[in-house]
Amino acid sequence: MSSSKEPAKPMSAAEDAFIRALSRVLLAMPRAVEHDMARGGLLPLSEYTALMHLSEVEGRTMRMSELASVSNLSLSGMTRIVDRLERRSLVKRVRCDEDGRGWNAVLTDAGLAALTESWPIHLASVRRHVLDHVQGEDLNQLTKVLQRIATDP
């Protein structure tokens, strides 16, 4: 990494094209999937994502701050989502056993059913907007590159 005193190295045309394409994908893909899910009349993408993460952990329970982190949202943003889910009995909130100060989000049976009902629309949308475009590519290598980018501080 260059220090702030060194001049920045300009991007090559290929690097610039990659960054622009990646930026478009990061904006367009969630919008497209959100649109498909809304058209299906089921869960919005933000709610689907929260329920998906809860469904993947033991006890279907996760601390609110951790759920916000894995969903790439602020704690206040996740609180608003969980408020909506809780009003529909898809999630419930319980105090953390560990310290009694924090809150856990718990996926209910109704929440799991809503997630299961929404899954086919989500899958079809992700396939159409992303996976169909990378057929024949080395997905393992592409995944490793994206994971490196995502974890770089």
Side-chain angles (χ1 to χ4, degrees):
M1 174 178 268
S2 9
S3 74
S4 59
K5 294 181 183 189
E6 294 177 27
K9 177 183 171 187
M11 287 189 278
S12 68
E15 289 169 332
D16 185 60
F18 172 77
I19 292 300
R20 289 172 188 251
L22 180 61
S23 296
R24 284 191 301 274
V25 167
L26 292 173
L27 293 172
M29 193 204 84
R31 287 180 186 158
V33 174
E34 179 71 44
H35 179 286
D36 290 346
M37 294 188 76
R39 194 175 54 206
L42 299 171
L43 293 170
L45 182 58
S46 58
E47 293 178 5
Y48 179 91
T49 300
L51 296 180
M52 176 194 70
H53 286 299
L54 288 171
S55 76
E56 296 171 340
V57 294
E58 188 172 332
R60 301 187 316 205
T61 301
M62 192 179 286
R63 196 173 182 108
M64 288 287 293
S65 57
E66 183 182 353
L67 182 57
S69 178
V70 298
S71 299
N72 201 28
L73 293 172
S74 66
L75 182 55
S76 63
M78 183 52 66
T79 298
R80 287 189 295 277
I81 290 168
V82 169
D83 285 345
R84 290 193 308 264
L85 293 168
E86 197 170 31
R87 282 193 295 275
R88 296 191 332 261
S89 300
L90 303 180
V91 167
K92 65 181 178 179
R93 261 186 280 222
V94 297
R95 285 259 183 222
C96 293
D97 288 338
E98 300 84 36
D99 62 17
R101 293 178 305 168
W103 289 91
N104 286 330
V106 181
L107 179 63
T108 64
D109 290 341
L112 185 58
L115 178 65
T116 302
E117 184 180 9
S118 295
W119 177 77
I121 291 173
H122 181 267
L123 175 62
S125 183
V126 168
R127 281 205 175 283
R128 183 172 58 258
H129 296 295
V130 180
L131 297 175
D132 289 350
H133 298 281
V134 294
Q135 286 183 350
E137 302 296 330
D138 184 346
L139 287 181
N140 290 330
Q141 184 62 31
L142 185 55
T143 300
K144 287 176 187 174
V145 169
L146 292 174
Q147 287 171 335
R148 275 198 316 266
I149 292 170
T151 58
D152 185 26

